Amino acid sequence: MKKDFLQIEGLSRARLLALLDAAQANLPIAEQLAPRKELLAGKVVANIFLEDSTRTRCSFETAVHRLGGQVFTLGASGSSASKGEGLLDTALNVEAMGVSAIVIRTAISGAPAMVARRVRIPVINAGDGRHEHPTQGLLDLVTLRESLGAIEGKRIGIVGDVASSRVAHSDLHGLTELGARVTLIGPPSLVGQGQCGIVKRSELVDISHDMDSIIGDLDAIMLLRIQNERGSSVGVSTDYRQLFGLTVDRAQRLKAGAVVLHPGPVNRGIEIDDAVADEHGGVRILRQVTHGVAARMAVLEDLLC
Ligand code: CP
């Protein structure tokens, strides 16, 4: 039985496609072209965000509103986490208030799963350490499917800090389950056989340390932020932009119809040049954000309705 939404790894193709279809169906509501649903009327969702967030926190809040429910958010400051109360006790306390689901962001990989084993209500992972960010994975798949049609057989590049990126891990599992070919691109300190077991397990995944040799073959390029908060700047050359950034020159070498994704927040001038982020026709970064509301509505409906 599906109680929680903790990771993309292990989700069946059928479940993934059902969630993508549900997200797509919710898109008119997310875009305010259709009235909100009332499926969560009378229900309260608790966001526990122990790491900072703009997109994920606000889009979960918006998704709950668009489904007719109510939501509150606890952060690391302004809650009793600042007095040393742990995540599990925080979750048990909000469950005791009668909330219907808990959404968790934390620096500790596996912590949402640990909470899910101890509470009766659904737990949704909003990003745990380096492990996964499954709703980001869903919204990325929604964006790719809208832009490219079927994902099967498409060639996708994931560029940058794969080692520390929970987004990359969720994307990898989703993309390979749907039959895309994925190339992980970046310097050896951030992308390597030893850092990503899926490379060894899946024939659909390979590694390149040479962005220029591959950029013209990609149907989509998914840029990642260097995760300085997880120590990723160690070993990263100051030439990162020159070697792996989506500069104006490289963007001109993308194939016609190729799209550019980035989960945000964007380090302009490092992962992507200003002019590319603002003017290139293939950039889908804000479209991803809109899809985030629709995808999170789909997950909430799936677990609560
Ligand atoms: N993509 C993403 O997780 O962004 P936030 O950290 O702003 O939530």
Side-chain angles (χ1 to χ4, degrees):
M1 186 185 136
K2 58 187 180 193
K3 176 174 98 61
D4 310 297
F5 190 72
L6 300 172
Q7 58 185 35
I8 298 285
E9 183 175 12
L11 291 190
S12 67
R13 177 184 169 85
R15 175 121 190 257
L16 266 178
L17 290 174
L19 285 166
L20 297 188
D21 288 344
Q24 196 175 331
N26 282 329
L27 198 51
I29 303 174
E31 295 179 293
Q32 293 189 275
L33 300 171
R36 74 179 196 176
K37 297 178 178 176
E38 297 298 338
L39 292 170
L40 297 190
K43 293 188 171 160
V44 178
V45 173
N47 274 342
I48 302 175
F49 273 58
L50 302 179
E51 281 192 321
D52 291 341
S53 168
T54 295
R55 280 147 290 270
T56 313
R57 176 173 64 82
C58 297
S59 75
F60 265 112
E61 290 176 356
T62 305
V64 174
H65 286 302
R66 298 270 182 259
L67 291 170
Q70 293 185 298
V71 58
F72 65 82
T73 297
L74 295 176
S77 67
S79 75
S80 289
S82 69
K83 303 175 205 164
E85 187 163 47
L87 173 61
L88 179 58
D89 277 332
T90 305
L92 289 168
N93 275 271
V94 298
E95 181 182 42
M97 293 170 201
V99 305
S100 296
I102 303 175
V103 181
I104 295 174
R105 169 165 288 196
T106 167
I108 302 173
S109 299
M114 178 272 294
V115 171
R117 290 191 290 272
R118 295 289 300 275
V119 299
R120 287 168 284 107
I121 55 178
V123 173
I124 300 172
N125 179 7
D128 61 330
R130 292 180 172 85
H131 171 227
E132 281 218 32
H133 190 350
T135 57
Q136 180 74 43
L138 271 191
L139 75 90
D140 288 346
L141 293 174
V142 173
T143 306
L144 289 173
R145 201 168 70 154
E146 179 184 73
S147 301
L148 304 176
I151 287 171
E152 186 161 11
K154 295 295 189 305
R155 184 140 192 214
I156 314 293
I158 302 181
V159 184
D161 191 0
V162 175
S164 292
S165 174
R166 53 200 179 201
V167 175
H169 298 150
S170 289
D171 285 341
L172 255 176
H173 291 297
L175 287 166
T176 52
E177 186 62 33
L178 297 184
R181 292 181 299 147
V182 182
T183 301
L184 307 175
I185 305 164
S189 57
L190 301 181
V191 178
Q193 291 279 347
Q195 292 167 332
C196 205
I198 195 170
V199 177
K200 294 173 189 160
R201 293 198 302 273
S202 176
E203 291 174 355
L204 292 170
V205 184
D206 62 6
I207 284 176
S208 171
H209 303 304
D210 181 2
M211 177 123 156
D212 289 309
S213 69
I214 196 171
I215 192 159
D217 299 330
L218 300 173
D219 297 297
I221 186 163
M222 305 175 84
L223 306 173
L224 302 171
R225 183 175 65 87
I226 302 291
Q227 309 262 304
N228 291 317
E229 72 273 31
R230 302 193 208 291
S232 293
S233 55
V234 178
V236 177
S237 163
T238 51
D239 296 330
Y240 182 88
R241 173 185 172 273
Q242 193 181 337
L243 293 170
F244 297 104
L246 191 58
T247 59
V248 171
D249 173 60
R250 283 200 183 95
Q252 285 168 349
R253 284 183 274 138
L254 284 167
K255 78 184 188 188
V259 293
V260 178
L261 277 63
H262 190 306
V266 174
N267 291 311
R268 287 168 175 260
I270 300 177
E271 299 109 30
I272 185 169
D273 281 5
D274 269 337
V276 181
D278 295 334
E279 293 162 29
H280 192 281
V283 170
R284 296 286 183 273
I285 297 171
L286 292 178
R287 191 67 179 154
Q288 288 172 266
V289 176
T290 303
H291 287 152
V293 175
R296 288 166 182 130
M297 288 173 68
V299 171
L300 288 161
E301 285 179 277
D302 192 44
L303 299 180
L304 291 175
C305 299

